[in-house]
């Protein structure tokens, strides 16, 4: 006997029920007014039809201000409810909690690559703990993609040239489908994966490699010897970045300690926030935004570092503590 096919995906995240509630409300409102309009069209067509050639036309009906106000104010009120409800839900989906665990994602034709803070890397499979917010910082190596997990009710485009973020908190252990929801080429339909939600203790065991198959270890899922930030630190030294960006004292380039999430003043007088997109642009196109007080001397690393390596560098910059104060001049 074939199992029943559910009409909607399982609700497996903290926001899934809220998204469904708004969806069903919109569906109910649309269905009600569609049915009402359809009924009134049929009713008036029958009631006021001309039954014979000799029958005079029906008298003209005078306008009613109360009726006009009713069918103006009622749709307005419903629209305001929809707007406020949607805005509140949008803000909740757009602002990840402060304690969210950050995972970097690289999309490319036709696969998903995930990098965990401890250095684990996965292809087309993402392991996360249940009951903990997860923030995904996503970039694409080629064309536009879209990260979509129906059971979590989250979908976010991954746009070339910048980072996009999405967050979720899974509530039920299990395996959930992951799709690319934006046409990205001939093998778009094959760009699928899964999100595996584990109990916290099982997730810790997975981090240690206890739950991983030999195939997963060969694919890069085994516990690495160093964290993502540590790998970024080694890459930082290998590329020669430390020559200009010193951790102590002023160098040719700006000090990176305490840079992330701070306000940066540019030569043209603007102030920008040093988020992931700013750091990525500064690595690939350093002449785009010159920091006030510095010369445009940094070379571009476009083509010299991969997207996953850029994410490692950003993880290293994030890991740096506050700016070290140099000795005071007397």
């Amino acid at each position: 006997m074939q199992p029943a096919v559910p009409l909607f995906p399982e609700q497996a995240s903290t926001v899934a029920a809220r998204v469904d509630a708004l969806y069903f409300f919109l569906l109910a409102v649309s269905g009600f007014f569609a049915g009402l309009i359809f009924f009134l069209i049929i009713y008036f067509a029958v009631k006021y039809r001309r039954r014979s050639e000799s029958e005079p036309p029906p008298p003209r009906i005078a306008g009613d201000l109360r009726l006009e106000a009713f069918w103006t104010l009622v749709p307005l009120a419903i629209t305001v409810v929809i707007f406020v409800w949607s805005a509140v839900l949008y803000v909740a989906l757009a602002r990840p909690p402060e304690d969210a665990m950050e995972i970097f994602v690289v999309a490319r034709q036709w696969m998903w690559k995930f990098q965990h803070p401890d250095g684990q890397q996965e292809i087309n499979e993402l392991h996360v703990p249940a009951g903990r917010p997860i923030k995904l910082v996503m970039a694409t190596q080629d064309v536009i993609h879209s990260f979509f997990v129906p059971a979590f009710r989250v979908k976010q485009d991954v746009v070339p040239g910048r980072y996009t973020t999405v967050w979720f908190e899974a509530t039920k252990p299990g395996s959930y489908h992951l799709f690319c929801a934006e046409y990205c080429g001939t093998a778009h339909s094959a760009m699928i994966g899964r999100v595996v939600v584990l109990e916290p203790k099982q997730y810790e065991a997975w981090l240690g490699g206890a739950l991983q198959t030999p195939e997963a270890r060969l694919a890069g899922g085994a516990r690495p010897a160093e964290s993502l930030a540590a790998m970024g630190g080694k890459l930082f030294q290998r590329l020669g970045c430390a020559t200009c960006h010193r951790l102590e004292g002023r160098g040719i380039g700006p000090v990176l300690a305490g840079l992330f999430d701070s306000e940066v003043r540019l030569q043209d007088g603007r102030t920008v926030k040093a988020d992931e997109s700013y750091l990525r642009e500064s690595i690939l196109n350093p002449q785009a935004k010159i920091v006030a007080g510095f010369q445009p001397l940094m070379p571009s690393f476009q083509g010299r570092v991969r997207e996953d390596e850029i994410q490692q560098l950003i993880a290293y910059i994030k890991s740096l503590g506050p700016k070290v104060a140099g000795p005071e001049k007397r």
Side-chain angles (χ1 to χ4, degrees):
M1 183 176 179
Q2 295 292 332
V5 178
L7 183 60
F8 295 98
E10 183 179 2
Q11 295 179 347
S13 75
T14 54
V15 299
R18 296 175 62 184
V19 173
D20 284 353
L22 177 59
Y23 172 77
F24 288 128
F25 178 76
L26 294 173
L27 197 64
V29 170
S30 301
F32 171 78
F33 282 104
L36 177 63
I37 293 171
F38 179 79
F39 169 78
L40 291 177
I41 290 175
I42 299 299
Y43 174 77
F44 290 129
V46 172
K47 180 176 177 61
Y48 297 106
R49 73 186 187 280
R50 194 173 184 183
R51 294 171 174 79
S52 66
E53 293 293 334
S54 60
E55 183 179 359
R60 296 185 62 180
I61 301 176
D64 189 331
L65 184 59
R66 294 171 300 177
L67 183 60
E68 294 283 353
F70 176 77
W71 66 39
T72 299
L73 295 177
V74 169
L76 176 62
I78 295 174
T79 303
V80 171
V81 169
I82 293 173
F83 172 78
V84 173
W85 191 349
S86 303
V88 171
L89 183 56
Y90 174 81
V91 171
L93 291 170
R95 300 176 63 181
E98 293 293 334
D99 61 342
M101 182 173 71
E102 202 168 84
I103 297 175
F104 284 100
V105 184
V106 176
R108 57 174 295 185
Q109 296 170 318
W110 289 276
M111 55 170 271
W112 300 97
K113 182 176 182 179
F114 303 94
Q115 296 192 102
H116 292 256
D118 290 342
Q120 290 87 351
Q121 298 182 357
E122 302 184 83
I123 302 295
N124 292 336
E125 192 170 81
L126 173 61
H127 288 76
V128 297
R132 182 172 180 183
I134 306 296
K135 176 185 176 182
L136 303 181
V137 181
M138 305 183 293
T140 173
Q141 199 165 305
D142 37 52
V143 300
I144 185 172
H145 300 278
S146 188
F147 183 91
F148 179 39
V149 183
F152 298 163
R153 307 300 194 271
V154 293
K155 184 172 78 72
Q156 178 63 54
D157 287 350
V158 190
V159 182
R162 65 185 181 92
Y163 283 117
T164 56
T165 61
V166 68
W167 80 276
F168 60 84
E169 182 179 337
T171 56
K172 299 179 181 179
S175 179
Y176 303 99
H177 292 295
L178 164 62
F179 300 102
C180 175
E182 187 76 34
Y183 182 73
C184 56
T186 54
H188 163 70
S189 61
M191 191 170 173
I192 56 178
R194 65 174 185 153
V195 179
V196 181
V197 181
L198 303 172
E199 294 287 357
K201 290 184 178 180
Q202 289 182 313
Y203 179 72
E204 292 299 324
W206 177 85
L207 287 177
L211 300 181
Q212 296 178 12
T213 63
E215 293 79 6
R217 295 188 180 95
L218 289 174
R223 184 179 182 87
E226 53 192 0
S227 68
L228 197 63
M231 289 188 283
K234 287 186 175 180
L235 183 60
F236 188 83
Q237 296 293 333
R238 190 171 77 245
L239 293 174
C241 306
T243 304
C244 300
H245 299 282
R246 299 176 183 174
L247 295 181
E248 297 183 10
R250 183 182 175 94
I252 298 176
V255 176
L256 300 182
L259 171 64
F260 180 74
D261 217 23
S262 67
E263 297 294 328
V264 178
R265 186 168 182 80
L266 306 180
Q267 278 189 356
D268 58 9
R270 290 182 298 156
T271 300
V272 297
K273 186 176 182 179
D275 56 9
E276 292 90 354
S277 295
Y278 169 81
L279 295 177
R280 181 184 185 276
E281 183 183 42
S282 297
I283 294 170
L284 299 180
N285 184 19
Q287 312 305 320
K289 295 182 176 69
I290 307 299
V291 179
F294 293 90
Q295 298 298 317
L297 302 176
M298 179 174 170
S300 171
F301 287 87
Q302 183 76 46
R304 297 176 58 187
V305 289
R306 305 187 306 269
E307 281 292 344
D308 57 331
E309 291 177 328
I310 295 174
Q311 293 175 343
Q312 292 169 13
L313 288 171
I314 292 175
Y316 169 69
I317 295 172
K318 286 183 176 182
S319 70
L320 298 177
K323 183 177 179 180
V324 178
E328 294 184 3
K329 295 183 179 180
R330 298 186 181 275

